Amino acid sequence: MLRICSVLALLLLSFVRPAVAESPALDVSFNADVFKVAFAFPVFDRAALEASWLHSDEDGELVGLGIFRTGIASPGANPVKAGLGAKVVYGDPDKGGSTGGSIALGGYFRWVFPNYDRIGIGGELYYAPGVLSFNDTDTYDEESLYVSYDIMQDAWVYLGVRHVQMKFEGDPDVTFDTGVHLGVRLSF
């Protein structure tokens, strides 16, 4: 546990800058069985923290706290906005007796189409192998892809697909979410 805290402290210190570049954002998404809420806020120039909670009616709870280096990943009038970093996730599934967590490495992106300045695509990808997992967790993976529509400058809605799975030692794997979801993201 001390090693995990040391790594997170070093990650935080590597992002230290004097100014804040992005605004806080609230992201809410759902489907028939799953509800997810995430709140991201800037901590330093080009760095953001994100706290999230995912509730699955069938599979349990998943909470996460991540830190990301954010910025522009491509030049041009419609650049790709992206974040790269790590998040600590903790799963408490309803099935089996296992609980545990992982430090998942990965990131996210969003790109708005040129000439269609309200329509964009985005996604997330995170993975934690066994060496970055603790308690009963063996591995963790999360993937999502979505199409978004900007309602206004700081608010967009989206339709996406998401897969979130945690594998446990000695218990069945738990897929917290898989399939289509609707969402909205508001920046403040």
Side-chain angles (χ1 to χ4, degrees):
M1 189 64 171
L2 179 61
R3 196 173 353 174
I4 293 170
C5 292
S6 299
V7 169
L8 289 176
L10 286 173
L11 274 173
L12 282 170
L13 289 174
S14 71
F15 290 102
V16 174
R17 302 271 175 145
V20 171
E22 295 188 20
S23 57
L26 175 67
D27 191 311
V28 178
S29 60
F30 64 94
N31 61 29
D33 301 315
V34 176
F35 173 78
K36 181 180 179 183
V37 62
F39 184 69
F41 53 95
V43 287
F44 307 110
D45 182 33
R46 293 179 283 152
L49 284 178
E50 180 185 88
S52 63
W53 171 63
L54 183 144
H55 168 76
S56 170
D57 281 346
E58 297 176 2
D59 296 304
E61 314 290 324
L62 186 68
V63 294
L65 179 64
I67 185 161
F68 302 95
R69 179 75 166 166
T70 62
I72 304 299
S74 70
N78 289 63
V80 175
K81 296 180 181 178
L84 189 63
K87 68 179 181 176
V88 177
V89 293
Y90 182 80
D92 186 13
D94 290 342
K95 299 172 186 167
S98 295
T99 61
S102 298
I103 300 173
L105 305 176
Y108 59 89
F109 78 95
R110 182 168 187 255
W111 180 64
V112 177
F113 290 99
N115 303 324
Y116 300 97
D117 65 346
R118 291 181 175 261
I119 300 172
I121 60 169
E124 298 179 80
L125 178 64
Y126 302 98
Y127 179 72
V131 71
L132 294 175
S133 300
F134 49 92
N135 286 359
D136 300 323
T137 306
D138 190 32
T139 63
Y140 172 82
D141 66 275
E142 177 179 345
E143 305 85 24
S144 71
L145 190 62
Y146 62 84
V147 175
S148 64
Y149 179 78
D150 291 7
I151 297 173
M152 59 186 73
Q153 185 176 359
D154 294 325
W156 37 280
V157 295
Y158 59 93
L159 175 65
V161 293
R162 179 171 49 215
H163 176 82
V164 180
Q165 185 176 46
M166 193 171 266
K167 294 183 178 180
F168 293 97
E169 299 169 2
D171 268 330
D173 300 344
V174 176
T175 301
F176 287 96
D177 191 11
T178 189
V180 177
H181 62 277
L182 293 171
V184 62
R185 185 172 179 100
L186 308 170
S187 296
F188 304 97

